[in-house]
């Protein structure tokens, strides 16, 4: 069983930056695909970014050029660097682990607790 613990959320002004971290337990982190999703109040969870076991990365169009996903296998941690933040980025951000990289929620087997990101105007 994999446990994911997220941190790094907070309140930031528009145009600012945050870096989210998600640290995983489990013996197969290096071979897992990792993803970040967001969920705004009253809305379904949406894909943000993902990174495959071979470090290929994928991004939603809305964050491309502003957000960067990366992983550190030695630390069993995945990061989401968020720059040029906009008020519409405000949401709870979740990290997820799965067997293959995907934009689909049901492709991921494990989820973190979520961390709140609030961007003020």
């Amino acid at each position: 069983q994999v446990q994911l613990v997220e941190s790094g959320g907070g309140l930031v002004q528009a145009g600012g930056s945050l870096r989210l971290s998600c640290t995983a337990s489990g013996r197969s982190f290096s071979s897992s695909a990792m993803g970040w999703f967001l969920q705004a109040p009253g809305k379904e969870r949406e894909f943000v970014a993902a990174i495959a076991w071979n470090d290929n990365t994928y991004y939603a169009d809305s964050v491309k050029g502003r957000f960067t996903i990366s992983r550190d296998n030695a630390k069993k941690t995945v990061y989401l660097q968020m720059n040029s933040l906009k008020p519409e980025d405000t949401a709870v951000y979740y990290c997820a682990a799965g067997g293959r990289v995907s934009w689909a929620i049901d492709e991921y087997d494990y989820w973190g607790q979520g961390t709140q990101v609030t961007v003020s105007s």
Side-chain angles (χ1 to χ4, degrees), residues 75-115:
K75 296 180 179 179
K76 295 185 177 181
T77 299
V78 62
Y79 304 95
L80 185 69
Q81 178 67 46
M82 304 186 293
N83 298 326
S84 302
L85 282 162
K86 305 174 181 179
E88 50 263 45
D89 295 321
T90 295
V92 177
Y93 285 73
Y94 298 87
C95 66
R100 57 183 291 178
V101 66
S102 178
W103 55 266
I105 293 171
D106 59 5
E107 292 284 354
Y108 294 88
D109 300 310
Y110 303 97
W111 294 84
Q113 79 285 358
T115 185

Side-chain angles (χ1 to χ4, degrees), residues 10-18 38-41 43 62-63 66-67 82-93 116-121:
L11 175 65
V12 64
Q13 291 186 347
S17 298
L18 287 172
L38 66 82
Q39 189 166 22
K43 296 185 179 295
S62 61
V63 306
R66 298 189 298 124
F67 292 8
M82 304 186 293
N83 298 326
S84 302
L85 282 162
K86 305 174 181 179
E88 50 263 45
D89 295 321
T90 295
V92 177
Y93 285 73
Q116 176 70 47
V117 172
T118 302
V119 184
S120 62
S121 60

Side-chain angles (χ1 to χ4, degrees), residues 21-22 33 46 57 59 68 109 116-117 119:
S21 299
C22 179
E46 300 178 3
T57 57
Y59 297 94
T68 303
D109 300 310
Q116 176 70 47
V117 172
V119 184

